[in-house]
Amino acid sequence: MPTQESSPVSAAELKALFSGLEHLPALVLAVSGGPDSTALMVLAARWRKALKMKPKLIAITVDHGLRKEAKREAAAVGRLARKLGIVHRTLRWTGAKPKTGLQEAARVARYRLLAGAAHEARVAQILTAHTRDDQAETVLIRVSRGSGIAGLAAMARISAVPGDDAGKIKLIRPLLDIPKARLVATLRAAKVAFADDPSNRDPRFTRARLRSLMSELALEGLDNRRLALLARRLKRADQAIDAVVGRAVAELTRLSPSGDAIAIDAAAYSGLPAEIALRLLGRAIVRVGDEGPVELAKLEALLDALKTALADAQNTGNARFRRSLAGALVTLAGPGIAVERAPPRRGRPLTTRGRGNAKPAKPR
């Protein structure tokens, strides 16, 4: 008998899963043909059927050209989509494939193609089938990479599409709190077939290796439910910290009229809790720098050095500090900390990116 963790998704749950989307004219669904995305398409069709105003659903399958079965799987998605009354398109990742970092390159290409399809269809929302299992794996991956609080908060239900600098398209994950087992049960109950991608078990890839450990971790109580709960709690903490940082920015910093320098009150800054001071400094560097995201470890090292200089300044009254990071120059002189655009290094061309348009820092 199925348990709550392995029972099919019921019709009564659909309204909550797709909440906030019922008034949109159209939605793009990312459907690879695997169990999760196939279930997303089936559930979206059921949800739409119950609505008075029925949004257009456009299923997009990306064929990365990495497996010979992909073309056949895309065709199967197309047949099911037609049966469900959903428009379907297959997009192909063409060109040379990298020998290293293949999965990340494929991910970037997939989102680029999905965003392009959404732009073309004038749709501002892309739905993906990320599950609670994916969330748990993402937490483990980020733990292994040394992420901070923001990174361990993992995936949000709604976020920007990776690579969409304009931020006009939103990525929505309606199934993020649903375990994969329930999606498989949903398809089996409906007698809907789905594809099996062997790369999901390929030990060459980090996610596949961590996935293979999940059953062992679950025996110790560290199952996907607990890991997803950790992500939710850290997201809550991250949002609270960011709100405090926002107030600190408003009270302690001053942006120059030209927008390429930020002055920080050194005395007040030295009294901030370390996490608040770290994020405030990171925001200032991203705001005026020209080299994109700030690496957490490098930002932490910069903060440690700056804190030492601030302590020396309080003791001696004449400590100085000057260090650059991510295209920004941080200077301590007298009562203020200055964060300004660093002069170009020899041999490095001047950036053409406008001030204030730096990409956000990577998840910490």
PDB file of all heavy atoms in Angstrom, residues 51-74:
ATOM      1  N   LEU A  51      -9.368  24.667 -14.896  1.00  0.00           N
ATOM      2  CA  LEU A  51      -9.454  26.126 -14.874  1.00  0.00           C
ATOM      3  C   LEU A  51     -10.495  26.652 -15.863  1.00  0.00           C
ATOM      4  O   LEU A  51     -10.732  26.045 -16.909  1.00  0.00           O
ATOM      5  CB  LEU A  51      -8.094  26.734 -15.214  1.00  0.00           C
ATOM      6  CG  LEU A  51      -6.929  26.438 -14.273  1.00  0.00           C
ATOM      7  CD1 LEU A  51      -5.645  27.046 -14.838  1.00  0.00           C
ATOM      8  CD2 LEU A  51      -7.195  26.956 -12.868  1.00  0.00           C
ATOM      9  N   LYS A  52     -11.077  27.793 -15.531  1.00  0.00           N
ATOM     10  CA  LYS A  52     -11.975  28.459 -16.473  1.00  0.00           C
ATOM     11  C   LYS A  52     -11.162  29.138 -17.572  1.00  0.00           C
ATOM     12  O   LYS A  52     -11.451  29.012 -18.761  1.00  0.00           O
ATOM     13  CB  LYS A  52     -12.845  29.477 -15.734  1.00  0.00           C
ATOM     14  CG  LYS A  52     -13.878  28.854 -14.810  1.00  0.00           C
ATOM     15  CD  LYS A  52     -14.744  29.922 -14.145  1.00  0.00           C
ATOM     16  CE  LYS A  52     -15.789  29.288 -13.244  1.00  0.00           C
ATOM     17  NZ  LYS A  52     -16.619  30.321 -12.560  1.00  0.00           N
ATOM     18  N   MET A  53     -10.147  29.904 -17.146  1.00  0.00           N
ATOM     19  CA  MET A  53      -9.229  30.546 -18.082  1.00  0.00           C
ATOM     20  C   MET A  53      -8.039  29.619 -18.246  1.00  0.00           C
ATOM     21  O   MET A  53      -7.258  29.438 -17.310  1.00  0.00           O
ATOM     22  CB  MET A  53      -8.787  31.904 -17.544  1.00  0.00           C
ATOM     23  CG  MET A  53      -9.928  32.883 -17.332  1.00  0.00           C
ATOM     24  SD  MET A  53     -10.601  33.520 -18.874  1.00  0.00           S
ATOM     25  CE  MET A  53      -9.231  34.517 -19.442  1.00  0.00           C
ATOM     26  N   LYS A  54      -7.870  29.025 -19.409  1.00  0.00           N
ATOM     27  CA  LYS A  54      -6.873  27.979 -19.592  1.00  0.00           C
ATOM     28  C   LYS A  54      -5.625  28.543 -20.290  1.00  0.00           C
ATOM     29  O   LYS A  54      -5.688  28.904 -21.466  1.00  0.00           O
ATOM     30  CB  LYS A  54      -7.465  26.832 -20.408  1.00  0.00           C
ATOM     31  CG  LYS A  54      -8.711  26.235 -19.761  1.00  0.00           C
ATOM     32  CD  LYS A  54      -9.236  25.065 -20.557  1.00  0.00           C
ATOM     33  CE  LYS A  54     -10.585  24.598 -20.024  1.00  0.00           C
ATOM     34  NZ  LYS A  54     -10.546  24.208 -18.611  1.00  0.00           N
ATOM     35  N   PRO A  55      -4.502  28.610 -19.572  1.00  0.00           N
ATOM     36  CA  PRO A  55      -3.280  29.116 -20.206  1.00  0.00           C
ATOM     37  C   PRO A  55      -2.771  28.149 -21.270  1.00  0.00           C
ATOM     38  O   PRO A  55      -2.975  26.930 -21.187  1.00  0.00           O
ATOM     39  CB  PRO A  55      -2.294  29.210 -19.039  1.00  0.00           C
ATOM     40  CG  PRO A  55      -2.796  28.232 -18.035  1.00  0.00           C
ATOM     41  CD  PRO A  55      -4.281  28.223 -18.168  1.00  0.00           C
ATOM     42  N   LYS A  56      -2.131  28.699 -22.263  1.00  0.00           N
ATOM     43  CA  LYS A  56      -1.485  27.878 -23.278  1.00  0.00           C
ATOM     44  C   LYS A  56      -0.249  27.233 -22.658  1.00  0.00           C
ATOM     45  O   LYS A  56       0.538  27.899 -21.984  1.00  0.00           O
ATOM     46  CB  LYS A  56      -1.083  28.747 -24.475  1.00  0.00           C
ATOM     47  CG  LYS A  56      -0.398  27.979 -25.586  1.00  0.00           C
ATOM     48  CD  LYS A  56      -0.035  28.927 -26.735  1.00  0.00           C
ATOM     49  CE  LYS A  56       0.640  28.189 -27.888  1.00  0.00           C
ATOM     50  NZ  LYS A  56       0.994  29.115 -28.986  1.00  0.00           N
ATOM     51  N   LEU A  57      -0.074  25.940 -22.861  1.00  0.00           N
ATOM     52  CA  LEU A  57       1.095  25.222 -22.349  1.00  0.00           C
ATOM     53  C   LEU A  57       1.998  24.845 -23.517  1.00  0.00           C
ATOM     54  O   LEU A  57       1.538  24.257 -24.501  1.00  0.00           O
ATOM     55  CB  LEU A  57       0.667  23.973 -21.579  1.00  0.00           C
ATOM     56  CG  LEU A  57      -0.216  24.203 -20.337  1.00  0.00           C
ATOM     57  CD1 LEU A  57      -0.573  22.877 -19.689  1.00  0.00           C
ATOM     58  CD2 LEU A  57       0.465  25.131 -19.337  1.00  0.00           C
ATOM     59  N   ILE A  58       3.268  25.193 -23.393  1.00  0.00           N
ATOM     60  CA  ILE A  58       4.250  24.917 -24.445  1.00  0.00           C
ATOM     61  C   ILE A  58       5.354  24.061 -23.849  1.00  0.00           C
ATOM     62  O   ILE A  58       6.121  24.519 -22.986  1.00  0.00           O
ATOM     63  CB  ILE A  58       4.855  26.219 -25.012  1.00  0.00           C
ATOM     64  CG1 ILE A  58       3.750  27.170 -25.473  1.00  0.00           C
ATOM     65  CG2 ILE A  58       5.822  25.910 -26.145  1.00  0.00           C
ATOM     66  CD1 ILE A  58       4.247  28.577 -25.772  1.00  0.00           C
ATOM     67  N   ALA A  59       5.430  22.799 -24.245  1.00  0.00           N
ATOM     68  CA  ALA A  59       6.473  21.901 -23.747  1.00  0.00           C
ATOM     69  C   ALA A  59       7.697  22.003 -24.650  1.00  0.00           C
ATOM     70  O   ALA A  59       7.583  21.893 -25.871  1.00  0.00           O
ATOM     71  CB  ALA A  59       5.960  20.466 -23.702  1.00  0.00           C
ATOM     72  N   ILE A  60       8.858  22.204 -24.034  1.00  0.00           N
ATOM     73  CA  ILE A  60      10.115  22.296 -24.771  1.00  0.00           C
ATOM     74  C   ILE A  60      11.033  21.155 -24.345  1.00  0.00           C
ATOM     75  O   ILE A  60      11.316  20.988 -23.152  1.00  0.00           O
ATOM     76  CB  ILE A  60      10.831  23.642 -24.516  1.00  0.00           C
ATOM     77  CG1 ILE A  60       9.925  24.811 -24.895  1.00  0.00           C
ATOM     78  CG2 ILE A  60      12.152  23.690 -25.271  1.00  0.00           C
ATOM     79  CD1 ILE A  60       9.615  24.920 -26.362  1.00  0.00           C
ATOM     80  N   THR A  61      11.481  20.387 -25.302  1.00  0.00           N
ATOM     81  CA  THR A  61      12.462  19.329 -25.048  1.00  0.00           C
ATOM     82  C   THR A  61      13.789  19.738 -25.673  1.00  0.00           C
ATOM     83  O   THR A  61      13.831  20.106 -26.845  1.00  0.00           O
ATOM     84  CB  THR A  61      12.010  17.987 -25.654  1.00  0.00           C
ATOM     85  OG1 THR A  61      10.728  17.641 -25.111  1.00  0.00           O
ATOM     86  CG2 THR A  61      13.002  16.885 -25.341  1.00  0.00           C
ATOM     87  N   VAL A  62      14.837  19.695 -24.881  1.00  0.00           N
ATOM     88  CA  VAL A  62      16.167  20.030 -25.389  1.00  0.00           C
ATOM     89  C   VAL A  62      16.935  18.732 -25.651  1.00  0.00           C
ATOM     90  O   VAL A  62      17.146  17.928 -24.739  1.00  0.00           O
ATOM     91  CB  VAL A  62      16.946  20.916 -24.394  1.00  0.00           C
ATOM     92  CG1 VAL A  62      18.369  21.161 -24.897  1.00  0.00           C
ATOM     93  CG2 VAL A  62      16.226  22.244 -24.188  1.00  0.00           C
ATOM     94  N   ASP A  63      17.315  18.538 -26.894  1.00  0.00           N
ATOM     95  CA  ASP A  63      18.146  17.396 -27.289  1.00  0.00           C
ATOM     96  C   ASP A  63      19.590  17.883 -27.307  1.00  0.00           C
ATOM     97  O   ASP A  63      19.980  18.670 -28.159  1.00  0.00           O
ATOM     98  CB  ASP A  63      17.716  16.895 -28.678  1.00  0.00           C
ATOM     99  CG  ASP A  63      18.549  15.709 -29.150  1.00  0.00           C
ATOM    100  OD1 ASP A  63      19.517  15.331 -28.463  1.00  0.00           O
ATOM    101  OD2 ASP A  63      18.237  15.172 -30.237  1.00  0.00           O
ATOM    102  N   HIS A  64      20.375  17.412 -26.343  1.00  0.00           N
ATOM    103  CA  HIS A  64      21.756  17.871 -26.226  1.00  0.00           C
ATOM    104  C   HIS A  64      22.696  17.210 -27.231  1.00  0.00           C
ATOM    105  O   HIS A  64      23.866  17.576 -27.326  1.00  0.00           O
ATOM    106  CB  HIS A  64      22.285  17.606 -24.811  1.00  0.00           C
ATOM    107  CG  HIS A  64      21.590  18.419 -23.760  1.00  0.00           C
ATOM    108  ND1 HIS A  64      20.486  17.954 -23.073  1.00  0.00           N
ATOM    109  CD2 HIS A  64      21.829  19.667 -23.296  1.00  0.00           C
ATOM    110  CE1 HIS A  64      20.099  18.884 -22.210  1.00  0.00           C
ATOM    111  NE2 HIS A  64      20.880  19.931 -22.329  1.00  0.00           N
ATOM    112  N   GLY A  65      22.172  16.224 -27.965  1.00  0.00           N
ATOM    113  CA  GLY A  65      23.014  15.545 -28.940  1.00  0.00           C
ATOM    114  C   GLY A  65      24.088  14.673 -28.313  1.00  0.00           C
ATOM    115  O   GLY A  65      25.113  14.396 -28.936  1.00  0.00           O
ATOM    116  N   LEU A  66      23.842  14.210 -27.094  1.00  0.00           N
ATOM    117  CA  LEU A  66      24.843  13.418 -26.376  1.00  0.00           C
ATOM    118  C   LEU A  66      24.499  11.931 -26.350  1.00  0.00           C
ATOM    119  O   LEU A  66      25.349  11.102 -26.074  1.00  0.00           O
ATOM    120  CB  LEU A  66      24.975  13.932 -24.937  1.00  0.00           C
ATOM    121  CG  LEU A  66      25.390  15.395 -24.787  1.00  0.00           C
ATOM    122  CD1 LEU A  66      25.353  15.815 -23.326  1.00  0.00           C
ATOM    123  CD2 LEU A  66      26.782  15.617 -25.370  1.00  0.00           C
ATOM    124  N   ARG A  67      23.229  11.598 -26.603  1.00  0.00           N
ATOM    125  CA  ARG A  67      22.806  10.197 -26.606  1.00  0.00           C
ATOM    126  C   ARG A  67      21.937   9.937 -27.826  1.00  0.00           C
ATOM    127  O   ARG A  67      21.081  10.763 -28.178  1.00  0.00           O
ATOM    128  CB  ARG A  67      22.003   9.867 -25.332  1.00  0.00           C
ATOM    129  CG  ARG A  67      22.755  10.022 -24.038  1.00  0.00           C
ATOM    130  CD  ARG A  67      21.890   9.603 -22.835  1.00  0.00           C
ATOM    131  NE  ARG A  67      20.683  10.418 -22.734  1.00  0.00           N
ATOM    132  CZ  ARG A  67      19.449   9.963 -22.913  1.00  0.00           C
ATOM    133  NH1 ARG A  67      19.239   8.680 -23.219  1.00  0.00           N
ATOM    134  NH2 ARG A  67      18.411  10.766 -22.794  1.00  0.00           N
ATOM    135  N   LYS A  68      22.131   8.787 -28.452  1.00  0.00           N
ATOM    136  CA  LYS A  68      21.364   8.474 -29.658  1.00  0.00           C
ATOM    137  C   LYS A  68      19.881   8.290 -29.352  1.00  0.00           C
ATOM    138  O   LYS A  68      19.033   8.450 -30.234  1.00  0.00           O
ATOM    139  CB  LYS A  68      21.930   7.225 -30.325  1.00  0.00           C
ATOM    140  CG  LYS A  68      21.879   5.973 -29.463  1.00  0.00           C
ATOM    141  CD  LYS A  68      22.520   4.788 -30.178  1.00  0.00           C
ATOM    142  CE  LYS A  68      22.468   3.520 -29.327  1.00  0.00           C
ATOM    143  NZ  LYS A  68      23.098   2.371 -30.023  1.00  0.00           N
ATOM    144  N   GLU A  69      19.565   7.951 -28.081  1.00  0.00           N
ATOM    145  CA  GLU A  69      18.164   7.738 -27.722  1.00  0.00           C
ATOM    146  C   GLU A  69      17.391   9.059 -27.581  1.00  0.00           C
ATOM    147  O   GLU A  69      16.156   9.057 -27.531  1.00  0.00           O
ATOM    148  CB  GLU A  69      18.065   6.991 -26.386  1.00  0.00           C
ATOM    149  CG  GLU A  69      18.731   5.623 -26.366  1.00  0.00           C
ATOM    150  CD  GLU A  69      20.211   5.708 -25.992  1.00  0.00           C
ATOM    151  OE1 GLU A  69      20.721   6.841 -25.794  1.00  0.00           O
ATOM    152  OE2 GLU A  69      20.844   4.643 -25.917  1.00  0.00           O
ATOM    153  N   ALA A  70      18.110  10.182 -27.483  1.00  0.00           N
ATOM    154  CA  ALA A  70      17.466  11.460 -27.183  1.00  0.00           C
ATOM    155  C   ALA A  70      16.420  11.846 -28.231  1.00  0.00           C
ATOM    156  O   ALA A  70      15.356  12.374 -27.897  1.00  0.00           O
ATOM    157  CB  ALA A  70      18.511  12.554 -27.047  1.00  0.00           C
ATOM    158  N   LYS A  71      16.704  11.581 -29.499  1.00  0.00           N
ATOM    159  CA  LYS A  71      15.758  11.938 -30.563  1.00  0.00           C
ATOM    160  C   LYS A  71      14.463  11.154 -30.400  1.00  0.00           C
ATOM    161  O   LYS A  71      13.363  11.716 -30.541  1.00  0.00           O
ATOM    162  CB  LYS A  71      16.390  11.660 -31.926  1.00  0.00           C
ATOM    163  CG  LYS A  71      15.553  12.136 -33.099  1.00  0.00           C
ATOM    164  CD  LYS A  71      16.299  11.938 -34.415  1.00  0.00           C
ATOM    165  CE  LYS A  71      15.462  12.440 -35.580  1.00  0.00           C
ATOM    166  NZ  LYS A  71      16.179  12.258 -36.879  1.00  0.00           N
ATOM    167  N   ARG A  72      14.582   9.876 -30.103  1.00  0.00           N
ATOM    168  CA  ARG A  72      13.392   9.051 -29.913  1.00  0.00           C
ATOM    169  C   ARG A  72      12.611   9.498 -28.670  1.00  0.00           C
ATOM    170  O   ARG A  72      11.377   9.547 -28.684  1.00  0.00           O
ATOM    171  CB  ARG A  72      13.815   7.574 -29.769  1.00  0.00           C
ATOM    172  CG  ARG A  72      12.686   6.629 -29.400  1.00  0.00           C
ATOM    173  CD  ARG A  72      13.150   5.191 -29.392  1.00  0.00           C
ATOM    174  NE  ARG A  72      14.364   4.987 -28.638  1.00  0.00           N
ATOM    175  CZ  ARG A  72      14.400   4.879 -27.297  1.00  0.00           C
ATOM    176  NH1 ARG A  72      13.284   4.971 -26.597  1.00  0.00           N
ATOM    177  NH2 ARG A  72      15.541   4.676 -26.685  1.00  0.00           N
ATOM    178  N   GLU A  73      13.324   9.854 -27.604  1.00  0.00           N
ATOM    179  CA  GLU A  73      12.665  10.308 -26.380  1.00  0.00           C
ATOM    180  C   GLU A  73      11.925  11.627 -26.612  1.00  0.00           C
ATOM    181  O   GLU A  73      10.815  11.821 -26.104  1.00  0.00           O
ATOM    182  CB  GLU A  73      13.704  10.457 -25.267  1.00  0.00           C
ATOM    183  CG  GLU A  73      14.269   9.110 -24.809  1.00  0.00           C
ATOM    184  CD  GLU A  73      15.523   9.248 -23.966  1.00  0.00           C
ATOM    185  OE1 GLU A  73      15.951  10.392 -23.700  1.00  0.00           O
ATOM    186  OE2 GLU A  73      16.084   8.208 -23.565  1.00  0.00           O
ATOM    187  N   ALA A  74      12.529  12.518 -27.383  1.00  0.00           N
ATOM    188  CA  ALA A  74      11.870  13.793 -27.701  1.00  0.00           C
ATOM    189  C   ALA A  74      10.590  13.559 -28.495  1.00  0.00           C
ATOM    190  O   ALA A  74       9.564  14.230 -28.277  1.00  0.00           O
ATOM    191  CB  ALA A  74      12.824  14.703 -28.464  1.00  0.00           C
TER     192      ALA A  74
END
